[in-house]
Amino acid sequence: MNILIMGPAGAGKGTMSDRILDVYDVPHISTGDMLRENVKNGTELGKLAKSYMDAGRLVPDEVINGMVENRLQQPDCEKGYLLDGYPRTEAQAKALAEITDRIGKPVEIVLALEVKFDDLASRITGRRICPQCQAIYHIATHPSKVAGVCDKCEHELVQRKDDTVEQLKVRMDEYEKNTWPVIEYYANKGVVSKIDAAKPADEVFEEVKKALGKVA
């Protein structure tokens, strides 16, 4: 099953991705993790990406596209993939279509998580993250057992500097400018399932499973 998961900051992509991995035998591919892994391992694409990053420049699409193509051909993607954080633009979506057609792994479903701005603001400002193991909490809906301390590794939790209403507005503007055209691109292909992600996580995942059941 070849899945894309999309949604604005705070929509719950991480939570839904974790739940999908618990049920379906596909790897979670985050472009951020993939980029860091390539740089860490000193791959040719990683070295090229690092040269741009060290110069304070954005890593160009062709480098990211190359990493994605390599990753999707790894043995753990034999039964499919869950791609998160890519494509972010229509140009990347078209590049991904060329890649997946070439390797015979076309996108089968796009899970588009939808949440209103006010709900996102509440989620974002209450979010706390463990900088050591990357576990995510929320002070109201998913607090840690001990306030300010990670349940998994007991590291002190932090609030990301960009988890503010002001930064959310900036990120939403960017999302609507660049990512909505991606969702429309896939909608024209008939593979988008819109998910009301403002509901409690259990209810959201039920919607996700129903959507995935149509292509499983």
Side-chain angles (χ1 to χ4, degrees):
M1 188 184 308
N2 306 326
I3 312 163
L4 298 188
I5 187 166
M6 307 186 73
K13 294 190 297 296
T15 299
M16 288 304 111
S17 293
D18 287 344
R19 295 198 177 202
I20 289 169
L21 298 186
D22 286 341
V23 177
Y24 302 91
D25 188 19
V26 295
H28 179 209
I29 302 173
S30 161
T31 48
D33 291 343
M34 184 180 60
L35 181 59
R36 286 187 289 272
E37 192 70 14
N38 273 269
V39 171
K40 177 184 176 181
N41 293 336
T43 66
E44 289 303 312
L45 287 170
K47 291 175 183 177
L48 185 55
K50 189 174 185 299
S51 69
Y52 285 96
M53 295 161 66
D54 288 346
R57 299 165 61 191
L58 291 174
V59 179
D61 279 359
E62 56 264 28
V63 176
I64 299 296
N65 296 342
M67 290 183 182
V68 170
E69 181 165 6
N70 288 345
R71 182 66 184 86
L72 294 183
Q73 295 182 83
Q74 297 302 309
D76 63 342
C77 292
E78 183 177 340
K79 295 181 181 179
Y81 53 81
L82 171 61
L83 195 53
D84 177 7
Y86 175 97
R88 293 183 182 273
T89 65
E90 189 172 354
Q92 288 182 346
K94 292 178 178 177
L96 178 61
E98 293 178 2
I99 291 168
T100 55
D101 285 348
R102 185 161 58 244
I103 66 177
K105 296 180 179 179
V107 172
E108 295 176 292
I109 185 169
V110 177
L111 300 172
L113 306 186
E114 298 185 334
V115 187
K116 293 180 180 179
F117 182 86
D118 288 346
D119 291 325
L120 288 175
S122 176
R123 290 183 180 184
I124 287 289
T125 55
R127 185 163 61 182
R128 299 294 182 269
I129 296 175
C130 177
Q132 183 160 291
C133 71
Q134 305 305 309
I136 301 175
Y137 301 88
H138 190 281
I139 58 175
T141 60
H142 180 46
S144 55
K145 294 177 182 176
V146 177
V149 179
C150 180
D151 293 344
K152 297 181 179 179
C153 67
E154 298 185 347
H155 196 282
E156 183 179 357
L157 301 178
V158 299
Q159 181 177 20
R160 282 175 25 177
K161 292 182 180 179
D162 58 349
D163 277 352
T164 65
V165 172
E166 292 74 22
Q167 282 299 311
L168 177 61
K169 290 178 180 177
V170 173
R171 288 148 77 181
M172 283 299 293
D173 286 344
E174 184 75 11
Y175 181 81
E176 291 177 3
K177 176 183 176 182
N178 292 320
T179 308
W180 265 115
V182 176
I183 294 175
E184 290 177 358
Y185 170 83
Y186 285 112
N188 289 334
K189 292 177 176 289
V191 296
V192 172
S193 286
K194 294 183 178 181
I195 306 294
D196 180 1
K199 299 177 181 179
D202 288 346
E203 294 180 29
V204 176
F205 190 53
E206 285 302 315
E207 282 197 36
V208 167
K209 287 193 292 185
K210 287 179 183 177
L212 294 179
K214 297 175 182 178
V215 295

